[in-house]
Amino acid sequence: MEYIDLSNAEITVTTQHIMDGNEYRDYNMQMSEYSDMDEFLCACSDLFPDEQNPEYRYTKWEHIPDNLINIEWICPNFFEIRDALEMLNENEIEHFIIWSEYFGYDITTDDPHMMVLHYQDIYGAEEPEVEVYPEDIFEDDTLYADMSDNISDMRTLLCKILDDNYN
């Protein structure tokens, strides 16, 4: 399986008109610079201002699986898929893709956010890291002074209530 990192995806764009002509030019585009398909297509049209209705061609791409792009097409919900996959860490993405294909999900047409949430419900989301306290906080004896007094008071209280010596 090829490496999938839609947040760092790159696409080389040209048009069919330019490919048919003598002068060939294309543009490399970082997909992280765009938030949705409309913004991306608007940026593409700015690259080719002389063409009224350009037929975009995607000649190269990196970090994008082939089921999301080919020379004539890019998945219409590419950006929704990218945003949904950001909820997974890089180790989970490959397993998620295999899982979704095995159970008959189609990430190109199904809701990618719901798929990721369903996957996380089954396999669990990665737990956030617990904040570790600096060591110098434990050097302060006054922090735990009251707690130790309460513990010794509890033993005395238990002896009085239960009339027994609990150690």
Side-chain angles (χ1 to χ4, degrees):
M1 174 176 277
E2 63 185 273
Y3 179 64
I4 300 171
D5 184 8
L6 298 184
S7 58
N8 290 318
E10 298 178 16
I11 297 177
T12 303
V13 179
T14 190
T15 64
Q16 185 63 49
H17 177 74
I18 290 174
M19 289 176 75
D20 293 341
N22 294 335
E23 184 180 325
Y24 184 82
R25 61 179 196 270
D26 57 16
Y27 299 93
N28 192 27
M29 302 181 77
Q30 301 290 326
M31 299 304 279
S32 61
E33 296 178 6
Y34 309 102
S35 61
D36 60 28
M37 190 57 73
D38 290 336
E39 186 179 0
F40 170 71
L41 293 175
C42 184
C44 288
S45 68
D46 290 344
L47 297 172
F48 308 100
D50 298 337
E51 295 189 43
Q52 290 294 327
N53 294 316
E55 295 177 42
Y56 299 115
R57 299 296 181 242
Y58 310 103
T59 56
K60 298 178 207 164
W61 53 88
E62 289 186 32
H63 308 299
I64 306 173
D66 291 341
N67 65 333
L68 298 182
I69 190 169
N70 63 43
I71 193 164
E72 297 175 346
W73 174 83
I74 184 169
C75 182
N77 64 344
F78 172 87
F79 293 95
E80 288 82 9
I81 296 168
R82 179 195 66 188
D83 295 344
L85 290 181
E86 286 178 355
M87 296 183 336
L88 301 170
N89 68 40
E90 64 185 60
N91 297 327
E92 293 175 307
I93 291 175
E94 183 178 349
H95 186 261
F96 168 77
I97 298 296
I98 293 168
W99 169 84
S100 63
E101 291 171 355
Y102 180 80
F103 287 104
Y105 294 106
D106 184 358
I107 199 163
T108 63
T109 57
D110 294 335
D111 183 346
H113 291 283
M114 293 303 292
M115 289 173 58
V116 168
L117 290 174
H118 182 61
Y119 172 83
Q120 287 178 329
D121 283 346
I122 294 172
Y123 296 103
E126 185 175 286
E127 294 294 322
E129 290 186 28
V130 177
E131 184 176 328
V132 178
Y133 293 101
E135 290 179 17
D136 61 328
I137 197 168
F138 296 109
E139 293 174 6
D140 186 7
D141 293 335
T142 60
L143 182 65
Y144 295 105
D146 292 336
M147 185 185 307
S148 64
D149 289 344
N150 290 339
I151 292 172
S152 64
D153 288 345
M154 292 280 286
R155 287 189 183 151
T156 307
L157 183 60
L158 284 173
C159 287
K160 287 181 182 178
I161 293 175
L162 300 172
D163 194 29
D164 205 349
N165 187 10
Y166 285 87
N167 291 337

